[in-house]
Amino acid sequence: MISINQLSMAYGEKLLFYDVNLILSSQSRYALVGANGAGKSTFLKLLTGAEQPIAGTLSIPKTASVGWLKQDQFRYENTLIIDIVLQGKPVLWQAMQEKDKLLQSDLHNEKNINRLGKLEEEIARLNGYSAHALAAKLLMGLGIQLEYHEKPLSTLSGGFKLRVLLAQALFQEPDILLLDEPTNHLDMESIESLNSALEKFTGTLIFISHDREFVSSLATRVLEMTPDGINDFKGNYEDYLQSQGIG
């Protein structure tokens, strides 16, 4: 659950929203709607902590994790696809990388042996020994065949690259997942695959999309952004459009 109290945000002299009070429930899929420049992407950044409000508070339980689908595939062009997904859990990834380096070092060194034991305990605690299987399952579920998992991301087309980044975000097993225009530059097959994966997500999903069909099929609630605040419409997107007199 996300609790928002008297939240206000502005850029320069432009007020984006004012005195917002909301409770966002778990296991709901929220579509953020509003005019261009209304602050939709800024609202997502507030949820991640990348931006700070000018007033008010936004509270997420300390035990809750936040996943954010960043469309930054260019930084991964030369990285193996399976490794991109595993990097979704940075602590686990770092432990696995350090373990691999130690296994190539002098294992007669007592310090190295002790460190290796601690890393193995850490990896086990983080379910690291089943991580490759989970990452592969996520990729397969998104249509990335096994033959590509050990190849660099550059071998895939744009739509499939985004699927890999989605697998990375889902691998985090976040309680809250944020998506900003996830269907941009995707073909129909990729959009359908993305939609199918997100329908199975059991946490809180908050997303922005200009794809009406995608929003209609996925959203269970609508957050309408206006200069006066953010209205929580307790219905799906088609219900929201009808309430606005939009056919």
Side-chain angles (χ1 to χ4, degrees):
M1 184 175 71
I2 303 171
S3 178
I4 299 170
N5 296 291
Q6 298 180 314
L7 189 73
S8 298
M9 188 62 181
Y11 269 128
E13 296 182 356
K14 182 179 180 180
L15 182 67
L16 296 179
F17 42 83
Y18 173 74
D19 196 29
V20 174
N21 295 279
L22 290 172
I23 299 291
L24 304 184
S25 62
S26 58
Q27 299 184 334
S28 292
R29 300 193 296 263
Y30 293 91
L32 274 176
V33 303
N36 290 337
K40 297 186 292 294
S41 294
T42 299
F43 183 69
L44 293 187
K45 291 177 182 177
L46 290 172
L47 289 168
T48 66
E51 298 271 3
Q52 296 299 316
I54 60 171
T57 60
L58 191 155
S59 300
I60 297 173
K62 291 182 179 180
T63 56
S65 59
V66 179
W68 189 7
L69 177 61
K70 304 180 184 72
Q71 298 193 37
D72 55 353
Q73 58 264 38
F74 300 109
R75 62 178 290 204
Y76 295 113
E77 284 292 289
N78 299 314
T79 305
L80 297 184
I81 288 167
I82 193 74
D83 288 349
I84 295 170
V85 180
L86 293 171
Q87 287 176 35
K89 293 183 178 178
V91 174
L92 172 61
W93 173 251
Q94 290 168 13
M96 294 170 69
Q97 290 295 99
E98 187 178 349
K99 177 187 173 183
D100 287 344
K101 288 181 180 179
L102 278 176
L103 289 174
Q104 298 173 27
S105 67
D106 180 11
L107 290 180
H108 296 291
N109 182 303
E110 185 176 352
K111 182 179 178 181
N112 287 351
I113 293 173
N114 290 337
R115 179 58 181 162
L116 184 60
K118 290 181 179 178
L119 285 170
E120 288 179 336
E121 290 177 2
E122 179 75 352
I123 292 169
R125 183 183 67 82
L126 297 169
N127 298 318
Y129 293 106
S130 60
H132 276 85
L134 174 58
K137 182 179 179 181
L138 287 169
L139 287 168
M140 293 284 285
L142 289 167
I144 311 295
Q145 298 305 312
L146 191 61
E147 63 190 271
Y148 290 98
H149 294 189
E150 299 292 337
K151 294 181 179 180
L153 188 67
S154 59
T155 59
L156 298 179
S157 64
F160 282 91
K161 289 177 182 179
L162 185 63
R163 295 190 203 187
V164 174
L165 296 185
L166 177 61
Q168 183 192 66
L170 293 173
F171 182 73
Q172 297 177 45
E173 299 178 295
D175 300 292
I176 301 162
L177 181 59
L178 310 176
L179 308 176
D180 192 348
E181 296 291 356
T183 62
N184 276 2
H185 312 300
L186 295 188
D187 57 27
M188 187 61 64
E189 181 185 357
S190 295
I191 292 173
E192 289 175 356
S193 179
L194 174 66
N195 191 23
S196 177
L198 293 175
E199 284 181 339
K200 298 173 186 174
F201 180 66
T202 58
T204 302
L205 174 64
I206 305 172
F207 69 99
I208 303 166
S209 177
H210 285 93
D211 185 326
R212 175 169 172 171
E213 186 174 341
F214 178 77
V215 176
S216 295
S217 64
L218 191 61
T220 59
R221 302 270 287 270
V222 175
L223 296 175
E224 180 190 38
M225 308 199 67
T226 73
D228 296 324
I230 304 176
N231 302 318
D232 182 6
F233 184 85
K234 296 176 175 61
N236 63 31
Y237 190 55
E238 292 303 319
D239 293 335
Y240 165 76
L241 292 177
Q242 288 181 16
S243 74
Q244 302 297 306
I246 303 173

